[in-house]
Amino acid sequence: MNSTAQSKKRTSIPDARVEKIAFATAKLHRILKELGHTRNLEKTASTMPDARERLSFIDTSMHEASEKTISAVEASLPLTNASRSTCSELSMRLADSRFTEHQELIMETISKLGEISMAEESVHHNLMQIIEAQEFRDVAGQMVNKIVSAAVEIENILLDILKEYAPDTKDSLISSDGLTSGPAQNSKDSVNGQDEVDDLLASLGL
Amino acid sequence: MADSNMKFLVVDDFSTMRRIVRNLLKELGFTNVHEAEDGVEALKKLRSENNFEFVVSDWNMPNMTGIELLRTIRADDALKHLPVLMVTAEAKRENIIEAAQAGASGYVVKPFTAATLDEKMKKVFQTMGK
């Protein structure tokens, strides 16, 4: 209800802000036409797929990094838990033992086992903190996705303006598929992994 | 205290997030944890297996959101008794109010710790009388 009331208001009594935006847009259009700035605009538009690709790369890297981190933590948690129970089991057995000799050594061992057990508890606590910290992946991933869609939107707006003011594609700096294709594949002049780096170095005689 | 074999369903579209929640639940002693990646898959599992005892759900998901899942659970005679804990990045007051009105058993805002999860779950168990 509120929105219909507002749109009515907009058509009958133009909002000063809307008038300003319309004025600025008209001015921008005129300037672009007069000064032949479409070429600059093309440059800006052509950077968009690249920006999108980089953001997607960030998203993928974050995902892989946190998956690896969680796997390493999952593998470590049982180890520290096992060490802790081994420590407490051994110290109980030592305390119950009836050795008459080496009493001091036994007491020291029991106390050290206690220290190791406490250290393992800290390790366990730290591992849980590492897991909790991986939540950044969720919130940051959502943000990156939002920015990617914003980039796509800006790209489309720029494309529309370009179509209107620079319809001659022969004059265009951007290839037609450059703007419409999704996140691009690895470009031919970059390597994929350390193996390819090593191969390349080897081919160069290093 | 709650049964450590209690059957959980963790609903989140981010696989990393499901792994995190699974690990935090394990830390709290719950190892019977199952996963679904959106509300649709969650409902399918809840209805076909019919022995889940606790649902932990994200809000923002494709196909069916967490709040839609919650409303569907509360409207289903076979499922409406299930505790549903919302775990979400939606920290707006209106979201929290909406979830409470839809019948959420608890609401945890991301990022959260095992301690927070523990505290909220204990509260849910208390009101359930377990």
Side-chain angles (χ1 to χ4, degrees):
Chain A
M1 236 182 89
N2 199 13
S3 69
T4 45
Q6 267 184 348
S7 66
K8 253 186 199 167
K9 199 173 141 194
R10 239 180 246 141
T11 45
S12 56
I13 315 155
D15 190 320
R17 288 168 298 186
V18 175
E19 238 174 22
K20 259 188 191 163
I21 294 169
F23 180 70
T25 312
K27 196 174 169 185
L28 177 68
H29 279 210
R30 190 166 45 82
I31 290 171
L32 286 172
K33 224 174 187 174
E34 283 172 7
L35 301 180
H37 270 193
T38 48
R39 196 160 268 275
N40 283 337
L41 202 59
E42 281 170 4
K43 274 187 191 160
T44 314
S46 67
T47 62
M48 281 301 163
D50 189 43
R52 204 173 48 188
E53 191 187 322
R54 280 163 202 257
L55 284 167
S56 301
F57 173 77
I58 292 172
D59 193 47
T60 313
S61 310
M62 286 198 306
H63 178 71
E64 284 170 3
S66 47
E67 287 290 308
K68 264 189 204 166
T69 308
I70 295 175
S71 296
V73 171
E74 280 176 347
S76 309
L77 279 170
L79 301 180
T80 72
N81 293 344
S83 301
R84 262 195 299 173
S85 34
T86 307
C87 282
S88 73
E89 196 218 325
L90 277 178
S91 45
M92 277 200 286
R93 280 168 61 189
L94 281 174
D96 289 344
S97 69
R98 291 179 200 160
F99 296 115
T100 45
E101 287 170 50
H102 308 303
Q103 275 300 324
E104 267 177 40
L105 180 61
I106 288 170
M107 290 318 288
E108 196 186 334
T109 308
I110 290 176
S111 133
K112 290 292 173 202
L113 283 171
E115 281 174 29
I116 296 171
S117 186
M118 270 164 69
E120 290 292 342
E121 206 173 321
S122 303
V123 172
H124 179 93
H125 177 75
N126 295 344
L127 288 171
M128 286 316 295
Q129 278 193 323
I130 292 174
I131 289 255
E132 288 167 3
Q134 298 314 305
E135 283 175 41
F136 88 92
R137 164 72 190 103
D138 187 63
V139 181
Q142 287 184 31
M143 273 183 199
V144 168
N145 284 338
K146 264 180 202 161
I147 298 171
V148 169
S149 21
V152 170
E153 215 168 284
I154 294 170
E155 188 186 321
N156 287 333
I157 291 168
L158 290 175
L159 248 186
D160 283 345
I161 299 175
L162 273 180
K163 273 186 207 148
E164 201 173 331
Y165 291 97
D168 187 1
T169 46
K170 273 178 280 177
D171 194 38
S172 175
L173 289 177
I174 355 153
S175 66
S176 54
D177 58 25
L179 279 167
T180 45
S181 62
Q185 314 78 5
N186 262 348
S187 64
K188 276 177 193 152
D189 52 10
S190 61
V191 290
N192 214 341
Q194 185 58 40
D195 288 351
E196 280 191 36
V197 176
D198 294 343
D199 287 349
L200 182 60
L201 289 175
S203 75
L204 295 169
L206 286 167
Chain B
M1 196 49 217
D3 178 10
S4 68
N5 205 36
M6 180 176 254
K7 191 172 176 184
F8 280 79
L9 186 62
V10 174
V11 195
D12 201 309
D13 54 331
F14 265 107
S15 62
T16 313
M17 207 54 219
R18 294 198 299 272
R19 284 184 82 181
I20 293 169
V21 176
R22 178 189 278 277
N23 275 289
L24 297 185
L25 286 172
K26 197 174 171 190
E27 176 73 2
L28 301 177
F30 300 105
T31 48
N32 192 4
V33 179
H34 300 252
E35 298 178 12
E37 63 178 21
D38 59 41
V40 173
E41 197 194 344
L43 266 186
K44 211 187 276 171
K45 287 199 170 172
L46 290 172
R47 283 176 175 154
S48 66
E49 299 182 32
N50 204 25
N51 57 353
F52 280 98
E53 295 164 274
F54 206 112
V55 178
V56 178
S57 179
D58 182 29
W59 184 305
N60 239 325
M61 294 178 291
N63 302 321
M64 182 191 260
T65 64
I67 194 79
E68 285 163 354
L69 172 66
L70 173 62
R71 290 205 177 99
T72 314
I73 288 174
R74 291 291 175 255
D76 186 323
D77 276 341
L79 301 173
K80 65 180 179 194
H81 64 281
L82 271 175
V84 179
L85 182 65
M86 299 293 291
V87 172
T88 160
E90 310 295 330
K92 286 186 221 116
R93 293 181 69 87
E94 56 190 80
N95 286 113
I96 299 164
I97 293 166
E98 193 180 348
Q101 285 172 346
S105 314
Y107 198 101
V108 178
V109 172
K110 293 175 187 170
F112 61 99
T113 63
T116 314
L117 194 60
D118 190 29
E119 189 193 315
K120 302 299 167 209
M121 284 180 34
K122 277 188 181 140
K123 227 180 199 172
V124 175
F125 292 140
Q126 256 174 20
T127 49
M128 279 165 67
K130 282 218 170 187

